[in-house]
Amino acid sequence: MLWEALTLQLGYNATLVTVGAALLGFAAGVTGTFLFLRKRALVSDAISHATLPGVGLAFLAMVALGGDGRNLAGLLIGSALSAWVGLLAVSFLTRRTRLAEDAAIGAVLSVFFGFGIVLLTVIQSLGAGRQAGLEDFLLGSTAGMLRADALLIAGGGALVLAVVLALRRPLTLVTFDPDYAVARGLPVARLDLLMMGLVMAVTVIGLKVVGLILIVALLIIPPVAARFWSDRSDHVVLLSGAIGAVSAWVGAALSATAPNLPTGPMIVLTAFAIFALSLLAAPGRGVLAAALRQNRFRRRVHMRQGLLALAHGQPIYEGLTLRLLQHAGLVRPDGVPTEAGQARAARALRDEARWAELRAGPGNEAAAALHDGVRDIETVLTQDQIAEIDRRIGGPRGVPG
Amino acid sequence: MGADFVTLSLTPILIGALAAVACALPGNFLVLRRQALIGDAISHVVLPGIVVAFLITGAVATLPMILGAACAALVAVALIEAVRRLGRIEPGAAMGVVFTAMFAGGVLLLEQSDTSSVHLDVEHALYGNLESLIWLDASGWGSLTDPVALAGLPPELGRIALTLVAVALFTGIFWRPLALSTFDEGFARSLGIRTGALGLALVVVSALAAVAAFDAVGSIIVIAMFICPPAAARLMTDRLGAQVGWSVVFAILSAILGYVLAGYGPGWFGLGASVSAAGMIATVSGVILALAAVFGPRRRGAIVAT
């Protein structure tokens, strides 16, 4: 069942939903990356909650005009308008008053959402039959989705994606260095506005699939996960898009396999699983890699200090140091150095003396700055430079046995 | 404004106002510390907490659910901190990752478990059920002195009043250290105030207020009351004491006006049923904030070069 869902064999409608969701996920991941790098991830939370009054008002307007209140395009236009008002309110509160952005975001999201709930109850009281499941917009629902709706979502996702990819250069510049972007003559304010417009588009398109409470997750989690794998913005953007697409694809497919698996939460939880995996296992920035790195460094420090102690003829009491030396065959179990141990100890002492000479004298500050107590000087200086140092400090001295 | 009012409206208004003040008090410090969205995060993660408590106990009982919600809030705070430190991610994004995932988990659990027979759903968590907290035993204003009728008060009233007392005590006792560490953390630390522990205590108290208020009024009011009254109060004055005073006034005003508008407002437009009180209270608090943002005497703040 799951395999059929993942490979799009569950019928036309499920396929349409899955592909549409994946396109939406890609667009959200790519757009969200710029928002994340600009450190304004939670603005999307205000935007998404601010869509609710628009949905309610659009429904009321369409019913008042004698139409069908459930027309998805009409509802989405309404939600876009009210999200725009919410965005303006956030920027008014941050620019024209002393309130910080987080307070403005929280105020807008709670007030707009509250007002939206009021409108939903008004619609409910107008006649239960016509209420038309507007609550689906809270948590998303792909169950009764029409073909036209799915096409609208897929088309919208593709459009957003095209705009972001076309403008990724200036957007990247603005996110990393707004001052430099101004100096280059880029319209920073307008690009910021465009970025918010794109976020709004993703939100509105995602309302039906993921729902307005969870759509922020599609904008935030993929870029955060992608950031673990690369330091290059191009790669992060594409990777984030891919993570968004995979999450949406897998989530929508999982949700199609059983009745009690709502689409929005499944997509978000898939994305979170990818995030957790990235946090743990990514090379470089991942937790596991960092732990390994730390452990390796620790062993090298112990090894080095143990060898220096041997070189100075001092007894070693520290457990880990002894184990490491013994494991490498450098000391006997009673703590007496083997021949190999004496040789390594002498080399360590020599290395230390060379470092000391290098750091004492002028002229090699760049190389001397690399001293961290475990690095061999051969990896930093050329043979000629080492010979020059040796000439100054004299030949090797013996090591007490 | 007679017996009907006491039976149907007095307790919801009281509970709404107490919940609003309980959230607005710590909200003042959260807004000043730029942690306003903590309330947003906490009110989202409360959902998985109560669902897990329901799955464990198998019944809609208040105490386990409050405990579950409180645990979930603490887990969320710990997770946000862990993600922020381990992944070196900015706090906003870390918060976004954690609370959306936990909320999604809560929704999924709710859909998977058999809750159709009990009153537990996402809408309930969002809107609360303020309108249903009526005082059936009351027959009029005289009931306020009648011990038999008083025993029939909704239990939410006692709980939220207790929470408010706890929150007010915390704010009062730690007023000076809280104020110092909010405005100048370095100076506070040099005086020997443990700012880290104090910050955590503030978050825990906020979580407590959020959970208790959530139990009575749903999460919309919680988020709105954490932010809107303090933010509006911030635009009225430069002094912390006055700000807290204004925020309490705004919170009570929002609760009363919101409830009255929701209950009686639709009737003025010829609509039969009432609208969501929780939503209306949030809306009124937003209107107050909007007025403060346009007319507030201190809306621009001190002149600083930014």
Side-chain angles (χ1 to χ4, degrees):
Chain A
M1 184 76 167
L2 177 60
W3 181 247
E4 273 92 41
L6 283 174
T7 51
L8 303 176
Q9 291 164 12
L10 277 187
Y12 187 71
N13 254 12
T15 302
L16 217 53
V17 167
T18 311
V19 173
L23 262 174
L24 170 73
F26 202 96
V30 169
T31 315
T33 309
F34 294 107
L35 203 60
F36 168 60
L37 293 177
R38 194 99 167 86
K39 296 193 165 46
R40 298 184 70 188
L42 285 174
V43 174
S44 57
D45 207 17
I47 294 178
S48 65
H49 283 75
T51 54
L52 191 59
V55 172
L57 285 176
F59 182 89
L60 287 174
M62 284 192 286
V63 169
L65 293 174
D68 177 12
R70 277 169 296 180
N71 184 316
L72 185 63
L75 294 177
L76 294 191
I77 291 171
S79 69
L81 288 178
S82 82
W84 193 248
V85 174
L87 196 56
L88 290 182
V90 170
S91 87
F92 174 83
L93 285 177
T94 14
R95 295 223 183 119
R96 295 298 175 83
T97 74
R98 65 198 337 197
L99 294 175
E101 190 168 45
D102 66 326
I105 290 172
V108 166
L109 85 84
S110 58
V111 171
F112 275 68
F113 192 67
F115 184 55
I117 298 295
V118 169
L119 288 175
L120 285 192
T121 49
V122 167
I123 292 170
Q124 249 164 3
S125 71
L126 284 178
R130 286 192 294 168
Q131 201 232 334
L134 289 189
E135 258 111 15
D136 281 354
F137 284 98
L138 293 180
L139 293 171
S141 157
T142 50
M145 197 185 275
L146 302 173
R147 178 169 173 225
D149 299 349
L151 286 178
L152 188 69
I153 288 162
L159 191 68
V160 171
L161 197 56
V163 174
V164 181
L165 291 181
L167 290 172
R168 67 182 190 286
R169 283 279 141 223
L171 283 178
T172 311
L173 194 53
V174 171
T175 51
F176 278 106
D177 197 343
D179 293 339
Y180 178 61
V182 172
R184 282 278 306 268
L186 285 174
V188 171
R190 239 182 296 164
L191 281 169
D192 260 341
L193 206 62
L194 175 82
M195 197 190 298
M196 291 303 150
L198 289 170
V199 169
M200 197 182 78
V202 167
T203 310
V204 166
I205 297 164
L207 277 188
K208 184 76 181 162
V209 180
V210 190
L212 64 88
I213 300 180
L214 288 175
I215 183 71
V216 285
L218 260 192
L219 286 161
I220 296 178
I221 299 181
V224 174
R227 181 71 186 83
F228 282 106
W229 299 89
S230 174
D231 285 333
R232 292 198 41 189
S233 67
D234 288 8
H235 294 178
V236 174
V237 167
L238 286 179
L239 203 57
S240 164
I243 292 174
V246 169
S247 314
W249 185 289
V250 173
L254 281 173
S255 145
T257 57
N260 283 335
L261 298 171
T263 318
M266 291 314 292
I267 293 177
V268 174
L269 289 175
T270 312
F272 184 75
I274 297 177
F275 159 78
L277 188 76
S278 310
L279 173 71
L280 287 179
R285 288 171 63 99
V287 170
L288 222 60
L292 284 177
R293 215 167 30 237
Q294 159 113 29
N295 195 27
R296 210 158 45 228
F297 186 74
R298 185 157 152 255
R299 284 158 163 266
R300 282 176 65 191
V301 170
H302 277 268
M303 194 73 171
R304 178 75 168 206
Q305 293 303 316
L307 285 173
L308 288 178
L310 288 184
H312 291 123
Q314 295 158 345
I316 300 171
Y317 300 108
E318 210 280 322
L320 177 65
T321 313
L322 272 179
R323 276 202 305 283
L324 284 172
L325 287 172
Q326 211 178 317
H327 187 75
L330 301 180
V331 295
R332 295 206 306 262
D334 56 2
V336 178
T338 61
E339 228 163 82
Q342 287 180 18
R344 285 283 298 276
R347 266 180 53 201
L349 191 64
R350 181 85 186 144
D351 199 51
E352 202 70 2
R354 284 167 172 168
W355 271 114
E357 174 64 22
L358 178 69
R359 295 170 71 210
N364 274 320
E365 281 83 0
L370 291 171
H371 174 80
D372 59 3
V374 295
R375 203 188 292 260
D376 283 334
I377 205 162
E378 279 94 347
T379 62
V380 177
L381 297 183
T382 63
Q383 285 301 327
D384 291 351
Q385 286 171 308
I386 293 175
E388 165 66 21
I389 288 176
D390 284 354
R391 200 177 51 70
R392 270 180 279 160
I393 59 177
R397 275 153 291 174
V399 171
Chain B
M1 284 292 164
D4 273 3
F5 175 80
V6 177
T7 313
L8 297 177
S9 299
L10 181 64
T11 41
I13 288 180
L14 265 181
I15 291 173
L18 292 176
V21 175
C23 290
L25 278 180
N28 277 296
F29 295 100
L30 293 180
V31 164
L32 287 171
R33 288 163 167 251
R34 312 208 159 179
Q35 294 178 326
L37 290 169
I38 292 252
D40 180 31
I42 290 174
S43 57
H44 278 87
V45 303
V46 156
L47 181 71
I50 57 171
V51 177
V52 168
F54 168 76
L55 290 179
I56 292 174
T57 59
V60 183
T62 306
L63 188 66
M65 285 194 170
I66 290 185
L67 281 179
C71 286
L74 291 183
V75 167
V77 170
L79 265 182
I80 291 171
E81 206 46 23
V83 166
R84 196 172 70 78
R85 294 215 180 140
L86 290 177
R88 278 161 293 167
I89 296 166
E90 53 125 352
M95 206 186 276
V97 169
V98 170
F99 82 73
T100 52
M102 285 183 73
F103 187 78
V107 173
L108 184 64
L109 275 179
L110 200 56
E111 295 282 332
Q112 285 288 300
S113 61
D114 179 30
T115 50
S116 50
S117 57
V118 295
H119 188 59
L120 181 64
D121 51 43
V122 177
E123 278 84 26
H124 172 221
L126 291 174
Y127 321 163
N129 56 344
L130 193 53
E131 296 90 338
S132 68
L133 299 174
I134 48 177
W135 187 15
L136 277 179
D137 297 345
S139 52
W141 288 103
S143 304
L144 283 175
T145 53
D146 176 6
V148 180
L150 282 176
L153 277 172
E156 281 86 355
L157 183 61
R159 276 199 292 272
I160 193 71
L162 210 63
T163 311
L164 176 57
V165 169
V167 170
L169 275 179
F170 172 80
T171 318
I173 292 172
F174 292 101
W175 179 270
R176 224 180 111 69
L178 267 178
L180 278 173
S181 72
T182 298
F183 288 111
D184 193 341
E185 189 165 352
F187 178 60
R189 215 176 297 143
S190 74
L191 289 182
I193 297 170
R194 293 175 57 194
T195 52
L198 195 64
L200 188 65
L202 180 65
V203 172
V204 170
V205 167
S206 309
L208 180 78
V211 170
F214 168 85
D215 167 47
V217 296
S219 56
I220 304 174
I221 304 195
V222 173
I223 311 174
M225 288 305 136
F226 264 120
I227 298 170
C228 290
R234 173 118 174 84
L235 305 177
M236 302 298 293
T237 171
D238 280 335
R239 292 188 37 240
L240 183 60
Q243 182 191 322
V244 171
W246 275 109
S247 74
V248 170
V249 172
F250 287 151
I252 295 175
L253 200 65
S254 311
I256 296 176
L257 260 183
Y259 188 84
V260 171
L261 279 178
Y264 303 101
W268 303 333
F269 295 104
L271 293 170
S274 59
V275 299
S276 160
M280 197 49 111
I281 291 174
T283 309
V284 171
S285 74
V287 171
I288 291 176
L289 175 60
L291 290 176
V294 179
F295 301 113
R298 288 284 180 274
R299 60 185 184 279
R300 297 290 164 81
I303 294 157
V304 279
T306 46

